[in-house]
């Protein structure tokens, strides 16, 4: 079995243990680390069947640091994918390609808990698709239609029946509080080196309350949302170029639609990676924002309220600020949450987010006008 994988999970026998918990239609021929996620560990599993077929699977270990109750997360996964499956079938779609399906263990369980008390799940690899880290404007708009459609499919899902897999996940006021606590604690001795970033947050404390306040006052509704709508959480059909399957459902739970819109803008309406060091390359692109807005509103098919439409630009600004604050908090805490490749990684990521926030502030009137332009036609 792959040394890389053995090294990654730190125990060569563990992989055999986990794979042994599942029944595959042939022999496992390889298992390799896969994807660019910051939290879970994902592995591509290749199988050879006696009939000469080569089915592939994604095996994932769920991070216990990020998700304190993986069994609740998996209950959400089963409930949401079953719901989506029914809707997709009713609309004449193919649920095997348009949502994730779970493969159960030999014992019939939804997930496997290994001898180190770590939780794993297995899903089929959705063949004929590609996952992208950056996209053309056409594909970016296709991702917007897919995320908007996801929102629309879940519009009548009873939000209060789902677990909160990470409590206060997009509670920006709580994120600000956690940042303040990290600053006071200064566990890694890094606070003295980041005066500019600390000031940046201080100047935007009021912004951290804009969405939470609208939620408290009943202006924005709580819905079932994805909460991690990065471009690389969509699978595109290789032939049609359409975003056909929304993946990474670990944070699908009650939330705000404006943050699903906003997180895609944060990640995709620019031309740089999330950890670009050269800030002159980090620029918000209003033209990409317009493409996404058009696609998203087409995908939502009119399910958003007028208040949600009005707050969409705020969703982008706030979620970008929030993630910058989260990266900075983790930097202060000594890099305990996000996977990092070098000591300054979280600070570099924070700076890209803050640069994008500043750009969005400068373009805010334009961002609002663009939403209004398409809001009337959706
Ligand atoms: P993470 O939480 O670590 O981001 P994801 O569920 O997004 O984990 O999976 C990581 C990557 O693995 C995705 O970006 C995608 O490239 C790929 N992937 C995940 N599930 C599938 C699947 N069922 N079919 C094909 N590719 C997948
Ligand atoms: C994490 O797991 P991944 O890479 O899809 C994080 C998101 C952040 C994102 C930033 C559970 O997502 O909230 O926006 O990194 N997920 C969790 O890239 O914290
Ligand atoms: Mg992902």
């Amino acid at each position: 079995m792959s040394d890389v994988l053995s090294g990654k999970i730190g125990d060569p026998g563990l992989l055999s243990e986990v794979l042994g918990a599942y029944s595959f239609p042939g022999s496992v021929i390889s298992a390799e680390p896969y994807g660019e996620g910051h939290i879970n560990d994902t592995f591509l599993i290749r199988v050879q069947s006696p009939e000469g077929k080569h089915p592939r699977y994604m095996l994932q270990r769920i991070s216990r640091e990020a998700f304190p109750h993986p069994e609740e997360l998996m209950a959400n996964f089963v409930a949401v994918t079953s719901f989506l499956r029914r809707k997709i079938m009713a609309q004449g779609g193919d649920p095997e390609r348009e949502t994730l399906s779970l493969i159960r263990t030999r014992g019939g369980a939804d997930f496997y808990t290994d001898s180190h008390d770590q939780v794993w799940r297995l899903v089929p690899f959705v063949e004929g698709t590609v996952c992208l880290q950056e996209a053309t404007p056409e594909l970016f708009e296709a991702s917007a239609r897919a995320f908007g459609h996801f929102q629309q499919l879940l519009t009548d899902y009873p939000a209060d029946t789902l677990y909160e897999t990470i409590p206060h996940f997009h509670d920006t006021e709580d994120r600000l509080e956690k940042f303040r606590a990290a600053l006071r604690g200064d566990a890694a001795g890094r606070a003295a080196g980041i005066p500019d970033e600390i000031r940046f947050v201080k100047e935007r404390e009021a912004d951290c309350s804009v969405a939470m306040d609208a939620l408290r006052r009943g202006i924005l509704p709580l819905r079932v949302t994805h909460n991690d709508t990065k471009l690389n959480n969509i699978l595109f059909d290789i032939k049609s170029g359409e975003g056909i399957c929304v993946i990474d459902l670990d944070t699908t739970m009650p939330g705000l639609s404006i943050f699903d819109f906003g997180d895609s803008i944060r990640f995709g309406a620019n031309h740089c990676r999330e950890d670009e060091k050269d800030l002159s390359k980090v620029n918000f692109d209003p033209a990409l924002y317009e493409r996404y807005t058009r696609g998203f509103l087409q995908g939502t098919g009119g399910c958003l309220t007028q208040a949600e439409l009005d707050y969409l630009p705020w969703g982008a600004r706030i979620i970008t600020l929030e993630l910058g604050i989260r990266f900075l908090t983790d930097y202060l805490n000594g890099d305990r949450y996000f996977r990092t490749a070098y000591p300054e990684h979280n600070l570099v990521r924070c700076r890209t987010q803050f640069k994008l926030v500043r750009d969005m502030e400068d373009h805010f009137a334009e961002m609002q006008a663009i939403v209004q332009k398409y809001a009337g036609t959706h």
Side-chain angles (χ1 to χ4, degrees), residues 36-38 60 228 230 232-233 247-248:
E36 301 207 8
H38 295 338
Q60 289 183 308
D228 188 7
K230 291 196 283 193
N232 62 15
N233 285 329
I247 60 169
D248 206 346

Side-chain angles (χ1 to χ4, degrees), residues 109-275:
D110 293 336
F111 54 89
Y112 178 67
T113 308
D114 70 23
S115 47
H116 298 265
D117 209 27
Q118 299 289 316
V119 169
W120 299 75
R121 71 162 163 246
L122 185 72
V123 297
F125 191 96
V126 182
E127 297 294 350
T129 63
V130 63
C131 179
L132 302 170
Q133 303 303 325
E134 51 190 309
T136 60
E138 287 69 32
L139 289 169
F140 190 48
E141 188 168 342
S143 80
R145 282 193 295 274
F147 278 128
H149 184 58
F150 182 82
Q151 187 72 91
Q152 199 226 332
L153 286 175
L154 292 172
T155 196
D156 55 349
Y157 195 106
D160 56 359
T161 60
L162 288 176
Y163 293 106
E164 231 187 320
T165 57
I166 302 181
H168 301 289
F169 188 53
H170 287 324
D171 176 341
T172 317
E173 291 171 338
D174 186 64
R175 294 293 183 181
L176 178 62
E177 269 317 310
K178 287 182 173 131
F179 165 72
R180 288 179 178 141
L183 196 55
R184 282 194 300 274
D186 196 15
R190 290 168 161 176
I194 51 165
D196 293 350
E197 288 72 24
I198 295 172
R199 193 173 339 105
F200 189 93
V201 177
K202 224 179 159 14
E203 286 166 2
R204 287 159 183 81
E205 286 179 353
D207 290 0
C208 294
S209 292
V210 169
M212 298 317 292
D213 195 48
L215 175 64
R216 267 191 301 270
R217 289 165 52 203
I219 297 171
L220 291 176
L222 206 58
R223 297 174 173 271
V224 175
T225 52
H226 183 279
N227 293 304
D228 188 7
T229 50
K230 291 196 283 193
L231 179 72
N232 62 15
N233 285 329
I234 287 272
L235 301 178
F236 293 92
D237 184 275
I238 286 174
K239 287 199 187 119
S240 69
E242 279 302 317
I244 57 161
C245 185
V246 175
I247 60 169
D248 206 346
L249 305 175
D250 298 342
T251 51
T252 299
M253 58 181 167
L256 296 177
S257 61
I258 64 166
F259 286 155
D260 274 9
F261 172 82
D263 200 47
S264 296
I265 296 300
R266 174 194 74 69
F267 190 81
N270 55 61
H271 302 275
C272 63
R273 294 183 66 90
E274 209 173 66
D275 55 0

Side-chain angles (χ1 to χ4, degrees), residues 356-370:
L356 290 170
V357 169
R358 213 183 270 283
D359 273 10
M360 288 184 208
E361 290 168 354
D362 292 345
H363 286 91
F364 204 55
E366 191 182 349
M367 289 168 73
Q368 288 172 314
I370 288 170

Side-chain angles (χ1 to χ4, degrees), residues 275-277 342 344-352:
D275 55 0
E276 173 59 59
K277 287 182 183 161
Y342 54 90
E344 307 285 299
H345 207 163
N346 272 318
L347 180 58
V348 166
R349 288 171 174 150
C350 158
R351 287 179 174 152
T352 61

